Amino acid sequence: MKERILVVDDEPSIVELVSYNLKGEGYDVLKAYNAKEALKLMEKATIDLFIIDIMLPDMDGKELCRIIRERKKTQDKPIIFLTAKSSEFDRVVGFEIGGDDYVTKPFSIRELLARIKAIFRRMSYRTTHVEESKNNKIMAQNLEIDPDKYELRVRGKNINLTSLEFDLLHFLAKNEGKVFSRAELLSQIWNDDYGLDPRKIDVHIRRLRMKIEEDPSSPQYIITVRGRGYKFRDPEKDLSHPT
């Protein structure tokens, strides 16, 4: 079945350019020129990936992202932001509200397609390896990571994660104690051949800590190893202080 992508942008030329190239790559494409149209399409169709312009005429694209993340049907679907803004602040805000990637206008359509393919490769890898993960829950103190059901429970409570957040947490947890550099995580999780940006990792780690740590400022599970990267630890096994 073709992956379905919803393109949301108030510039018809951008929508047509992106849609034309996506269809050329074999994707099913839906188009919306504002947030209201996008929300209607979300109700009618299953969307596998969203491409959203941050500056929409009727609603901030970031607010549309929040709505997508709040709805059970779409809460784990990947989102790529399109925007004319290029500051570090805008990129960080985009990630913190639930965006998976960020492409700045004017952008290379080749780069956008590469990022989309990287996201779908990650999702495909996860699907094809689900059998290997059955009955292979990872338990770490108050965390229960279930790769079969694609669920996370913290102190017995289900926690909503985006697909990218879950993949990042699961990868670190199944490699407990091993330190990964930001570049290694970008390669493993994003399969990103374009625009490798270490800030992606830092922001997504921060989001994960907000969801799993009792005190995100003093993390017990995802530990920063200064000058090297990040590792996962089980506090019940590792009594050493985080670095």
Side-chain angles (χ1 to χ4, degrees), residues 165-176:
E165 288 171 343
F166 188 94
D167 288 343
L168 178 58
L169 176 62
H170 181 241
F171 177 79
L172 287 169
K174 74 180 181 179
N175 292 284
E176 180 186 344

Side-chain angles (χ1 to χ4, degrees), residues 119-179:
I119 288 173
F120 282 133
R121 280 199 304 270
R122 175 175 56 82
M123 297 172 70
S124 176
Y125 178 87
R126 180 186 72 209
T127 301
T128 56
H129 286 74
V130 69
E131 290 298 323
E132 299 176 9
S133 300
K134 283 193 172 181
N135 303 316
N136 193 24
K137 295 179 183 178
I138 297 174
M139 311 291 291
Q141 193 163 312
N142 294 318
L143 297 188
E144 180 181 343
I145 304 167
D146 189 340
D148 179 23
K149 296 181 180 179
Y150 222 64
E151 291 180 349
L152 167 69
R153 283 176 286 279
V154 179
R155 291 177 287 278
K157 180 181 178 181
N158 285 334
I159 302 297
N160 291 330
L161 298 180
T162 67
S163 62
L164 191 150
E165 288 171 343
F166 188 94
D167 288 343
L168 178 58
L169 176 62
H170 181 241
F171 177 79
L172 287 169
K174 74 180 181 179
N175 292 284
E176 180 186 344
K178 184 176 179 180
V179 179

Side-chain angles (χ1 to χ4, degrees), residues 6-23:
L6 174 57
V7 182
V8 190
D9 196 304
D10 62 332
E11 295 184 56
S13 60
I14 296 292
V15 173
E16 294 306 317
L17 173 66
V18 173
S19 299
Y20 174 82
N21 282 277
L22 289 176
K23 289 177 180 177

Side-chain angles (χ1 to χ4, degrees), residues 29-220:
V29 181
L30 297 178
K31 298 180 285 188
Y33 299 95
N34 55 56
K36 184 178 180 180
E37 291 178 1
L39 292 171
K40 287 182 178 179
L41 288 171
M42 285 166 51
E43 294 295 334
K44 297 177 181 178
T46 298
I47 312 297
D48 298 302
L49 183 145
F50 294 85
I51 300 174
I52 302 174
D53 180 21
I54 285 184
M55 302 298 290
L56 295 172
D58 57 340
M59 180 188 297
D60 190 295
K62 296 191 289 292
E63 181 60 30
L64 177 58
C65 179
R66 288 191 181 93
I67 294 173
I68 292 171
R69 290 289 175 243
E70 289 170 357
R71 296 189 177 185
K72 187 173 182 179
K73 184 179 178 181
T74 57
Q75 64 186 15
D76 65 342
K77 301 301 183 182
I79 297 172
I80 297 177
F81 282 119
L82 296 180
T83 179
K85 296 183 177 181
S86 58
S87 72
E88 178 180 353
F89 172 79
D90 292 311
R91 282 194 291 269
V92 169
V93 169
F95 291 143
E96 287 186 336
I97 63 173
D100 294 270
D101 214 333
Y102 190 105
V103 179
T104 303
K105 298 178 182 178
F107 57 88
S108 160
I109 193 68
R110 183 180 177 185
E111 176 183 349
L112 176 61
L113 292 173
R115 289 174 183 258
I116 292 168
K117 290 177 181 178
I119 288 173
F120 282 133
R121 280 199 304 270
R122 175 175 56 82
M123 297 172 70
S124 176
Y125 178 87
R126 180 186 72 209
T127 301
T128 56
H129 286 74
V130 69
E131 290 298 323
E132 299 176 9
S133 300
K134 283 193 172 181
N135 303 316
N136 193 24
K137 295 179 183 178
I138 297 174
M139 311 291 291
Q141 193 163 312
N142 294 318
L143 297 188
E144 180 181 343
I145 304 167
D146 189 340
D148 179 23
K149 296 181 180 179
Y150 222 64
E151 291 180 349
L152 167 69
R153 283 176 286 279
V154 179
R155 291 177 287 278
K157 180 181 178 181
N158 285 334
I159 302 297
N160 291 330
L161 298 180
T162 67
S163 62
L164 191 150
E165 288 171 343
F166 188 94
D167 288 343
L168 178 58
L169 176 62
H170 181 241
F171 177 79
L172 287 169
K174 74 180 181 179
N175 292 284
E176 180 186 344
K178 184 176 179 180
V179 179
F180 291 92
S181 69
R182 290 166 177 80
E184 287 172 330
L185 290 173
L186 283 166
S187 176
Q188 291 287 338
I189 307 302
W190 274 261
N191 296 295
D192 194 345
D193 299 322
Y194 279 83
L196 297 176
D197 185 349
R199 286 168 294 194
K200 286 183 181 180
I201 294 297
D202 297 334
V203 176
H204 286 291
I205 290 291
R206 184 158 68 245
R207 283 171 53 194
L208 267 178
R209 285 172 172 165
M210 293 293 293
K211 294 182 178 183
I212 70 174
E213 303 280 2
E214 288 192 62
D215 180 4
S217 65
S218 181
Q220 299 298 305

